[in-house]
Amino acid sequence: MKPSLQSQHSKRAQMLRRMAAAGMGLVFALVLSGTAQAQQIDVSGQVTSLDGVALEGVLINVRGMNVRTTSGAEGRYTVTGPSDGVLIFSAIGYRASAVNIGGRTSIDVILEPAIAVLDEVIVTGYAEQRRADITGAVSSVDMESVSKQTGSSVLQRLEGAVAGVTVGASGAPGSRSTVRI
């Protein structure tokens, strides 16, 4: 009977060693995950154009993560990301820029304008078309001359600026104007 008692003790000791090893593995995993979370840092800075003007509304995105923010009125931003991450700065009319964080907590970025040549587009009341695709009559309005005119509404200002356009109103307060072409 003694050998079976010794084998039970050795099995128990072996099981305790395995549980201790598993517990140490769990502690080690928790320590590593705590270290990984500690690598998240707050990065702040300012986004400006080439001529030094602060850019508002620039989208700052951490590559590969669902973390993003926008720059404020003075071009300032703050975002949290991994210390070895990449920040993507993008704004309409500017080239996107990717910047490595590299453990830095302050990153100032200068965005270059993106010069794009667009086809001339005409916006109508129900669609937009390229000027070359229109088969009817088209008239353009010089908005500088319209803004210099006096009138109680934009429609009344357009009346003299475009040939064949008449704007009528009943004269009653709050009544709508009628535009005839």
Side-chain angles (χ1 to χ4, degrees):
M1 276 231 193
K2 243 182 174 183
S4 69
L5 188 59
Q6 281 181 342
S7 75
Q8 284 181 349
H9 281 285
S10 71
K11 285 182 181 178
R12 256 190 210 159
Q14 201 174 33
M15 189 169 74
L16 286 174
R17 275 185 252 143
R18 285 183 185 161
M19 289 177 70
M24 290 301 290
L26 181 62
V27 168
F28 184 68
L30 289 173
V31 167
L32 283 181
S33 69
T35 304
Q37 286 185 355
Q39 291 177 353
Q40 295 286 324
I41 60 172
D42 288 335
V43 180
S44 60
Q46 185 177 26
V47 185
T48 57
S49 63
L50 281 175
D51 53 356
V53 175
L55 297 177
E56 179 180 8
V58 175
L59 179 67
I60 299 101
N61 188 18
V62 180
R63 182 182 286 166
M65 297 179 69
N66 194 16
V67 176
R68 55 181 61 108
T69 189
T70 56
S71 60
E74 296 176 0
R76 298 235 171 251
Y77 71 94
T78 300
V79 66
T80 301
S83 61
D84 60 346
V86 177
L87 297 179
I88 309 290
F89 296 84
S90 58
I92 294 174
Y94 292 91
R95 285 196 180 118
S97 177
V99 178
N100 289 324
I101 296 173
R104 297 178 289 174
T105 58
S106 178
I107 300 175
D108 292 337
V109 175
I110 298 173
L111 293 182
E112 296 178 15
I115 301 170
V117 178
L118 300 175
D119 290 335
E120 187 172 349
V121 174
I122 297 173
V123 179
T124 60
Y126 51 89
E128 53 182 66
Q129 301 172 352
R130 291 185 319 136
R131 185 179 280 273
D133 295 339
I134 295 179
T135 57
V138 174
S139 180
S140 298
V141 177
D142 181 20
M143 292 309 292
E144 284 186 29
S145 65
V146 170
S147 65
K148 292 178 185 175
Q149 294 177 2
T150 59
S152 60
S153 74
V154 175
L155 292 176
Q156 288 178 347
R157 292 179 184 182
L158 286 177
E159 184 174 20
V162 180
V165 174
T166 58
V167 179
S170 68
S175 67
R176 294 184 178 177
S177 298
T178 304
V179 179
R180 291 194 179 103
I181 300 174

